[in-house]
Amino acid sequence: MTKIKEIPFRYDQVGSFLRPEALKKTREQFGNNTISAEKLKYVEDQAIIELINKQVENGLKAVTDGEFRRSWWHLDFLWGLNGVEQVIPEHGYQFNEVETRAASYQISDKVTFNPNHPFFEAFTFLNEHTPEGILAKTTIPSPTLLFNRKSDTFTYESYTDENVFIDDLAKAYHQTILKFYDLGCRYLQLDDTSWGMYTGFIENAKTEEEIKHWQQQCEAGVTVVNQLLKDLPEDLTITMHVCRGNYKSDWAIAGPYDHVAAYLAQLNIDGYFLEYDDDRSGGFEPLAQIYKNGPAKKVVLGLVTSKFPKLESEDSLIKRITEATSFIPLENLCLSPQCGFASTEEGNYLTEEEQWAKVRLVVDTAKVVWKDA
């Protein structure tokens, strides 16, 4: 059996953190054209250095830049690919109770690798300022976000064949990840809302045709992800965060993992970050399917909510971890917040102090549960 990797760590984090007020104000000034790009970068740099130190002080073994240079967890990266353009639609994304601000993308040409993608410079800065013995982790959106659709019609004008599109997308991502690797990245996370969407759509489907359509989308998701992962360096860890929406403490998707577990299990990744902070995610039973198909893979249980300030108890977390071991061995499990604290620059409705209390709870609980934490 393939040995289980150390990464993801027993206590880990999804990636984004609340933006400090000074950074928010500076980004607003830049958006209003009252300060220069150099001034914005300086403030971002200082905020990221402070964040790195704060993550280390709170015991994290892998640190991120908090996504401080981004407005969106996904769009800033997608806009940086060749062939993907920024657009402003009439409406934003509809969440459970709120609508996001409006922003999206369109495929305007063949999708290809961009050697000058701004995320490379951002990672280089993070890596250069990460202390020795700590790992610099980067996060990018999964490619599945670019071919989700609710009908069987493939509508991108730049492509007449979806298979060609998927091939181009996988190639662009593969080259992008290799570039990150060349810059020193050894821990990369794909953030993916698609699987949460699929499980919700399948759960609420009214016809067998609807179910079949979303199952075909799942199959395409497996294809593109596994294709981009082919022949990557063995010392590079790739994980996936299955997200259910995170905007101003609201969520977008509900449905158990039962509908997508078999597909997730086919992904050639090293670990899954799965949200389990409330009953929207269903039970732990699907973990058995993931373990059956990938006994060397880890599942990071997102039991500590990043959406609300109330602090969970250590005892309640230990109890839930114990429940999960009925379906997957303890050695395959880890612990983290359920999502990032600020998937967009607006952030969730809790304070930075409350955010760090959540992080410390994850670290402290994991050290009680796992001897190798």
Side-chain angles (χ1 to χ4, degrees):
M1 185 178 79
T2 304
K3 183 180 179 181
I4 300 175
K5 287 187 176 182
E6 181 185 10
I7 309 166
F9 297 108
R10 294 300 183 195
Y11 45 90
D12 217 313
Q13 48 113 339
V14 173
S16 66
F17 286 93
L18 295 171
R19 277 56 159 180
E21 287 304 316
L23 177 56
K24 284 187 174 183
K25 181 178 179 180
T26 303
R27 288 184 62 87
E28 182 179 352
Q29 291 173 331
F30 178 73
N32 292 332
N33 297 313
T34 58
I35 63 168
S36 66
E38 290 75 16
K39 173 63 175 178
L40 172 62
K41 185 179 184 305
Y42 174 79
V43 174
E44 289 174 341
D45 288 352
Q46 299 311 304
I48 289 168
I49 291 172
E50 291 179 14
L51 176 67
I52 292 170
N53 294 334
K54 193 74 173 178
Q55 291 173 83
V56 174
E57 289 171 9
N58 281 274
L60 292 174
K61 297 180 180 180
V63 301
T64 71
D65 63 5
E67 303 178 5
F68 279 7
R69 302 188 197 275
R70 311 183 201 181
S71 179
W72 298 84
W73 64 276
H74 60 321
L75 293 176
D76 296 74
F77 175 83
L78 299 177
W79 292 331
L81 294 172
N82 292 333
V84 182
E85 288 188 358
Q86 180 177 358
V87 296
I88 305 298
E90 185 176 347
H91 296 285
Y93 302 101
Q94 182 59 52
F95 273 53
N96 181 49
E97 294 182 353
V98 303
E99 181 180 306
T100 71
R101 54 190 159 88
S104 190
Y105 65 87
Q106 67 179 10
I107 306 299
S108 58
D109 204 343
K110 287 180 67 67
V111 177
T112 62
F113 165 66
N114 177 8
N116 299 311
H117 198 297
F119 275 38
F120 297 139
E121 182 180 353
F123 175 78
T124 298
F125 182 87
L126 169 66
N127 202 36
E128 288 176 346
H129 289 83
T130 296
E132 186 176 351
I134 303 297
L135 204 58
K137 173 182 178 179
T138 194
T139 62
I140 60 175
S142 173
T144 61
L145 273 69
L146 287 176
F147 64 86
N148 285 327
R149 63 184 192 278
K150 293 188 177 182
S151 73
D152 290 321
T153 303
F154 189 65
T155 57
Y156 291 146
E157 294 182 0
S158 304
Y159 291 90
T160 57
D161 187 330
E162 183 175 26
N163 291 325
V164 175
F165 174 64
I166 289 177
D167 287 345
D168 285 353
L169 194 56
K171 183 178 180 181
Y173 262 78
H174 183 83
Q175 292 175 307
T176 297
I177 293 174
L178 284 179
K179 177 66 174 180
F180 276 121
Y181 182 86
D182 290 342
L183 293 172
C185 180
R186 297 296 181 269
Y187 186 4
L188 184 142
Q189 175 182 297
L190 297 171
D191 291 321
D192 201 328
T193 54
S194 302
W195 304 104
M197 289 171 53
Y198 299 153
T199 197
F201 290 146
I202 293 172
E203 175 79 359
N204 297 300
K206 295 179 173 59
T207 67
E208 287 297 322
E209 286 188 7
E210 280 187 69
I211 293 174
K212 183 178 179 181
H213 168 73
W214 293 117
Q215 289 174 337
Q216 289 173 340
Q217 288 283 275
C218 289
E219 292 168 2
V222 170
T223 297
V224 71
V225 171
N226 282 346
Q227 195 167 321
L228 74 89
L229 295 175
K230 280 184 179 179
D231 301 320
L232 289 176
E234 290 186 5
D235 62 338
L236 173 63
T237 295
I238 304 289
T239 60
M240 176 178 285
H241 172 229
V242 179
C243 182
R244 295 165 178 271
N246 192 42
Y247 183 81
K248 292 184 176 181
S249 292
D250 198 11
W251 54 270
I253 306 156
Y257 291 103
D258 304 60
H259 302 299
V260 296
Y263 302 103
L264 290 175
Q266 296 175 49
L267 300 176
N268 296 325
I269 57 174
D270 299 303
Y272 309 81
F273 284 75
L274 300 183
E275 299 191 351
Y276 270 112
D277 61 321
D278 61 25
D279 58 9
R280 288 183 298 113
S281 301
F284 292 128
E285 290 81 359
L287 300 183
Q289 177 74 56
I290 291 175
Y291 175 71
K292 177 183 177 182
N293 286 20
K297 297 177 182 180
K298 284 183 176 177
V299 172
V300 187
L301 299 176
L303 300 176
V304 175
T305 188
S306 67
K307 296 185 183 298
F308 306 108
K310 183 178 179 181
L311 194 62
E312 294 83 352
S313 73
E314 185 176 289
D315 287 344
S316 68
L317 297 180
I318 293 174
K319 181 180 178 181
R320 295 205 69 199
I321 293 169
T322 302
E323 291 173 1
T325 60
S326 296
F327 306 99
I328 185 172
L330 183 63
E331 67 176 353
N332 290 83
L333 292 174
C334 306
L335 181 65
S336 77
Q338 140 267 339
C339 192
F341 292 92
S343 298
T344 67
E345 59 186 311
E346 289 85 353
N348 287 337
Y349 294 137
L350 68 168
T351 66
E352 289 186 60
E353 182 179 348
E354 291 163 340
Q355 166 186 263
W356 293 114
K358 299 268 186 178
V359 171
R360 289 192 297 273
L361 176 62
V362 167
V363 174
D364 293 343
T365 303
K367 288 182 176 180
V368 172
V369 173
W370 289 278
K371 294 180 180 179
D372 61 348

